[in-house]
Amino acid sequence: MERKPDLGILKVEVVTHPADSELIGHLLSSFFNTLTTVVVDDPDQVRVCAFRPALEDGADILRRFQEKCDEMVRLGYLIQSPSVSLTLLDLEEAFWFPSFPPLLIGRTLAIVMDASTPTPPDRIRLTITGAGGFGTGHHPTTRLCLVLMEQSPIASKVILDVGTGSGILSIAAAKWGAATVVATDLDPCALSSARYHAAINQVGNAINFLQSDLAKAVSGSFDLIVSNLSAELVKDLAYQIKEKNLLTETGIWIGSGFTSRQWSEVHRLLTRLGYEVVTTETEDDWQAFQAVWAGNSLKRRKK
Amino acid sequence: MAKKVRAIVRLNLAAGKAAAGPPVGPTLAPHGINVMEFVRAYNEATKEMIGTVIPVDVTIYTDRSFSLTFRRPPVSELLKKAAGVEKGSGSPKTNKVGKVSKAQVREIALTKMPDLNTEDIEAAMRIVEGVARSMGIEIVQ
């Protein structure tokens, strides 16, 4: 089902005693599946906040969260029962930069964070609000992945995006004309963020979202696998791709999420498992790679 | 003369992976600081710790400059490490995922005490116990 786009960002704000902020932060974080912030108002009062895409009815989660807080007060773990408020921020309130310039990436993309920012007519426009999942284009690893994707054949190809976060790589792939995109994430909040972003970019029907620990729940084989993760997770994924035969014989795997310092270890494992790294890109000490099965030349598959 | 503090904000962020969207943007922007500059400084300082949550206190001054103080990981992260579990329980009452000793609780409380707004070790331990309980981590003697 396509979700209604442009609902904005839901801000959950809990006013509480400073000594309760760690436990409240933990509960808020686990109930709403997102990281929290704490604003110190004065020595006796803090505000613990969480932000989520306003996709589903948060009322039920909120009710359970409040019950949990009451229970913790009864048991003596919290000093006082906090007061909770929900605010629906529209995109302009959620993003302080309505005039923030579009981010131009590679030769063909322009990424904006809100609907009102104009983009150059010759660029493909992606709207990524950044709520709930990693990947807004402002982090070097996201840009590196997009640049390497742009250099790879995507039109009419079958794509897998492992750890999709905000959905940005999948959405770009869909815009570049991929036949099918499968996007996974372990975090349900990231998946709802990715669905939301797919919907506002009009590619909701082109992407299949799947909750999965890396590629564990994925089957099939893919022409292109993209994965902006971390050094550890890329290494785990290297095993999964090989064991589950997820990459076609002539397929390309793009990975990032680690620093140049961590790269040599990742590179060693890739080589040992039979991958051949054909391209690397770096930005600000961040690293990305493009790999194929060893012995498969990239030449005939270049765009 | 010392600069005048406008606000203090603690952000729990994934090391090396902060981005300009929520929660960073809507939390910091109302105080007038350069959000992209914050994102760059945070990611640079924490890039070798990717995969963990590194809280940071942002002290914002009235002249819109800011300073960063990095904190210990959240109590929940320290508990997971102490209990040797990857994640907390979805139903902490019925499904216990791990155990920590009272001594480990004390150690975590001591480690994290500077961030807990209390100088009372008993109160700090109570906070750690509360988090443990809500994660399905049992405390044993």
Side-chain angles (χ1 to χ4, degrees), chain A:
Chain A
M1 193 188 78
E2 206 64 273
R3 287 172 193 274
K4 189 174 177 292
D6 281 325
L7 285 177
I9 305 295
L10 189 67
K11 179 186 184 184
V12 188
E13 185 172 85
V14 184
V15 178
T16 191
H17 190 277
D20 284 348
S21 64
E22 182 77 18
L23 181 49
I24 291 283
H26 166 70
L27 294 175
L28 195 60
S29 173
S30 55
F31 274 77
F32 288 91
N33 218 329
T34 183
L35 293 169
T36 57
T37 66
V38 182
V39 181
V40 181
D41 287 326
D42 59 56
D44 298 319
Q45 183 180 301
V46 297
R47 283 174 291 147
V48 186
C49 308
F51 296 87
R52 294 214 28 179
L55 284 172
E56 54 247 65
D57 183 18
D60 184 49
I61 310 176
L62 191 65
R63 189 178 45 75
R64 286 190 288 117
F65 170 74
Q66 277 174 320
E67 283 171 7
K68 186 75 190 177
C69 289
D70 292 343
E71 184 196 332
M72 290 308 222
V73 173
R74 278 200 305 279
L75 293 167
Y77 292 112
L78 286 175
I79 295 170
Q80 61 187 45
S81 206
S83 79
V84 187
S85 63
L86 290 180
T87 320
L88 188 63
L89 308 176
D90 65 29
L91 293 179
E92 279 203 7
E93 291 169 300
F95 301 100
W96 75 105
F97 37 60
S99 63
F100 197 76
L103 198 60
L104 304 183
I105 296 179
R107 287 174 286 113
T108 58
L109 293 179
I111 298 177
V112 290
M113 297 184 93
D114 68 298
S116 60
T117 305
T119 48
D122 57 336
R123 294 227 167 203
I124 299 168
R125 178 190 174 90
L126 304 187
T127 308
I128 304 289
T129 67
F134 181 77
T136 56
H138 290 90
H139 195 278
T141 55
T142 309
R143 290 198 288 273
L144 291 170
C145 286
L146 289 168
V147 165
L148 286 175
M149 284 170 75
E150 197 178 52
Q151 297 164 11
S152 313
I154 287 186
S156 316
K157 299 288 183 184
V158 182
I159 318 290
L160 171 64
D161 176 11
V162 180
T164 191
S166 68
I168 187 168
L169 302 183
S170 290
I171 294 163
K175 292 275 188 188
W176 277 321
T180 324
V181 183
V182 175
T184 77
D185 210 294
L186 184 56
D187 175 1
C189 185
L191 281 175
S192 74
S193 161
R195 281 198 187 94
Y196 166 73
H197 286 130
I200 63 174
N201 285 287
Q202 286 89 41
V203 290
N205 296 327
I207 305 171
N208 300 314
F209 295 97
L210 182 65
Q211 187 176 8
S212 169
D213 185 355
L214 294 176
K216 267 187 198 163
V218 178
S219 55
S221 72
F222 298 85
D223 301 307
L224 177 69
I225 300 178
V226 293
S227 53
N228 189 9
L229 302 162
S230 67
E232 286 312 308
L233 293 178
V234 165
K235 285 193 275 182
D236 290 349
L237 183 59
Y239 285 102
Q240 289 185 8
I241 291 174
K242 186 170 171 149
E243 277 158 21
K244 298 174 61 111
N245 221 352
L246 295 173
L247 190 63
T248 59
E249 202 186 326
T250 56
I252 298 173
W253 175 24
I254 292 168
S256 189
F258 40 81
T259 60
S260 306
R261 182 124 67 93
Q262 296 164 325
W263 165 237
S264 58
E265 202 184 314
V266 176
H267 193 178
R268 261 201 305 281
L269 180 78
L270 297 190
T271 310
R272 188 156 68 73
L273 293 181
Y275 301 94
E276 181 186 340
V277 173
V278 285
T279 318
T280 59
E281 289 270 351
T282 55
E283 182 185 332
D284 275 357
D285 210 24
W286 293 94
Q287 180 95 29
F289 67 85
Q290 197 180 34
V292 297
W293 293 120
N296 279 311
S297 160
L298 245 196
K299 271 184 208 151
R300 61 200 154 97
R301 275 166 282 125
K302 279 264 183 187
K303 249 180 195 169

Side-chain angles (χ1 to χ4, degrees), chain B residues 46-116:
Chain B
T46 56
K47 66 185 174 192
E48 299 299 334
M49 289 168 275
I50 285 183
T52 59
V53 174
I54 303 289
V56 62
D57 285 1
V58 189
T59 307
I60 303 156
Y61 302 98
T62 45
D63 66 356
R64 297 187 171 193
S65 63
F66 63 90
S67 61
L68 304 183
T69 312
F70 292 91
R71 297 298 187 180
R72 298 291 313 228
V75 168
S76 53
E77 300 283 319
L78 298 173
L79 274 166
K80 280 190 267 183
K81 209 171 159 197
V85 297
E86 278 195 16
K87 56 183 292 199
S89 170
S91 42
K93 273 192 192 134
T94 47
N95 177 25
K96 306 292 181 193
V97 291
K99 288 178 184 158
V100 291
S101 69
K102 201 86 179 169
Q104 283 175 305
V105 169
R106 191 179 184 84
E107 197 185 318
I108 292 171
L110 277 173
T111 305
K112 190 65 184 165
M113 207 147 91
D115 306 347
L116 290 180

